[in-house]
Amino acid sequence: MHIAIFGGSFDPPHIGHQTIVKKVLKKLDIDLLIVVPAYLNPLKVRSFLDAKLRYKLLKKLFSKKRKLLSLHMR
């Protein structure tokens, strides 16, 4: 099984993130793409959006992708 990981703060999730995912799924021979949202960008002291809201938005943004798995933030 070929797995790719796409990490970031996704603060906020936007069409650019969606475009990256679409191109990765189209171009790479992978079975699964895991999107891993960071709780806080290591270069910032606070987030624009609450972590739970960003996670919810990511789930909505990528809900129709079959090869995608979003992980819970810790």
Side-chain angles (χ1 to χ4, degrees):
M1 177 178 259
H2 295 94
I3 299 173
I5 299 172
F6 180 33
S9 58
F10 304 101
D11 191 24
H14 53 75
I15 197 159
H17 298 123
Q18 192 174 34
T19 300
I20 291 168
V21 166
K22 284 180 183 179
K23 287 188 179 198
V24 164
L25 293 176
K26 185 176 180 180
K27 299 269 184 187
L28 298 180
D29 182 26
I30 60 172
D31 301 306
L32 181 66
L33 175 63
I34 301 172
V35 176
V36 183
Y39 181 77
L40 179 65
N41 180 326
L43 304 175
K44 296 182 180 179
V45 294
R46 64 185 178 132
S47 296
F48 178 69
L49 295 177
D50 175 76
K52 289 181 182 179
L53 177 57
R54 287 185 285 127
Y55 179 72
K56 185 177 179 179
L57 291 171
L58 278 171
K59 283 180 69 173
K60 185 174 182 177
L61 187 65
F62 298 126
S63 65
K64 295 189 174 148
K65 297 293 177 200
R66 289 184 310 239
K67 292 184 178 183
L68 195 68
L69 173 68
S70 293
L71 297 179
H72 290 282
M73 291 176 289
R74 302 208 190 268

